[in-house]
Each structure stands twice: as structure tokens, then as C-alpha cells.
């Protein structure tokens, strides 16, 4: 009798906007780490903030950038 492994792994990020994306979808090519100058970076996006994390093993620097949000005003 053989044992079957029915493990179901869910590869999702924890960001608000990036929820449901795999690690490949979070990978960013156009940013550079301010600490080490590395170009391997992950991105998590929330409503007002974007978090970037260097995935170089020796660095792991994490920095945040604010998003420009248009505030909708209703006519009174």
C-alpha cells in the first residue's frame, strides 16, 4: 500500500493589491535596492503604500513608498 501526499500549497502574497499573485507576479525588474544596489526585488502593494524588499540573501533591505491617490470629491 502506498501513501499519497495530497498537500495543497497556496503560494499567495499577503499584500492588499497583490493578494492572490504568485512570487513570479511580485518580482520587480525596474527597481534597485538603495542598500546593496541589487536588482532582485519583491513588491507588495496596499491601498496607500507600496513595500519593496530586496531578496538578496546578504541584504534583505525593506523600504516603503507612498502612492499618489486621487481623492474623489462629490458635488454638493
Amino acid at each position: 500500500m502506498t501513501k499519497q501526499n495530497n498537500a495543497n500549497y497556496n503560494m499567495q502574497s499577503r499584500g492588499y493589491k497583490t493578494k492572490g499573485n504568485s512570487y513570479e507576479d511580485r518580482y520587480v525588474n525596474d527597481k534597485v535596492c538603495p542598500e546593496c544596489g541589487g536588482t532582485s526585488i519583491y513588491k507588495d502593494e496596499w491601498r496607500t503604500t507600496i513595500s519593496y524588499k530586496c531578496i538578496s540573501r546578504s541584504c534583505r533591505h525593506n523600504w516603503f513608498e507612498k502612492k499618489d491617490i486621487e481623492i474623489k470629491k462629490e458635488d454638493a
Side-chain angles (χ1 to χ4, degrees):
M1 181 179 239
T2 60
K3 183 178 177 182
Q4 289 183 330
N5 186 3
N6 292 333
N8 204 2
Y9 296 104
N10 193 0
M11 302 296 283
Q12 292 182 349
S13 72
R14 296 181 181 183
Y16 172 75
K17 293 281 188 177
T18 51
K19 184 176 181 182
N21 292 346
S22 67
Y23 287 107
E24 294 171 353
D25 297 331
R26 293 174 57 208
Y27 190 77
V28 178
N29 290 332
D30 58 348
K31 289 284 184 183
V32 176
C33 177
E35 288 286 319
C36 70
T39 57
S40 299
I41 296 168
Y42 276 161
K43 170 181 140 180
D44 280 323
E45 187 174 344
W46 291 277
R47 190 172 70 109
T48 59
T49 309
I50 300 175
S51 166
Y52 294 101
K53 184 171 185 177
C54 179
I55 59 175
S56 174
R57 187 174 290 219
S58 61
C59 181
R60 301 281 191 215
H61 180 66
N62 194 12
W63 71 98
F64 300 92
E65 293 182 4
K66 287 199 168 254
K67 290 172 56 174
D68 294 328
I69 299 174
E70 293 182 17
I71 299 174
K72 294 182 181 179
K73 295 181 179 179
E74 294 182 22
D75 295 334

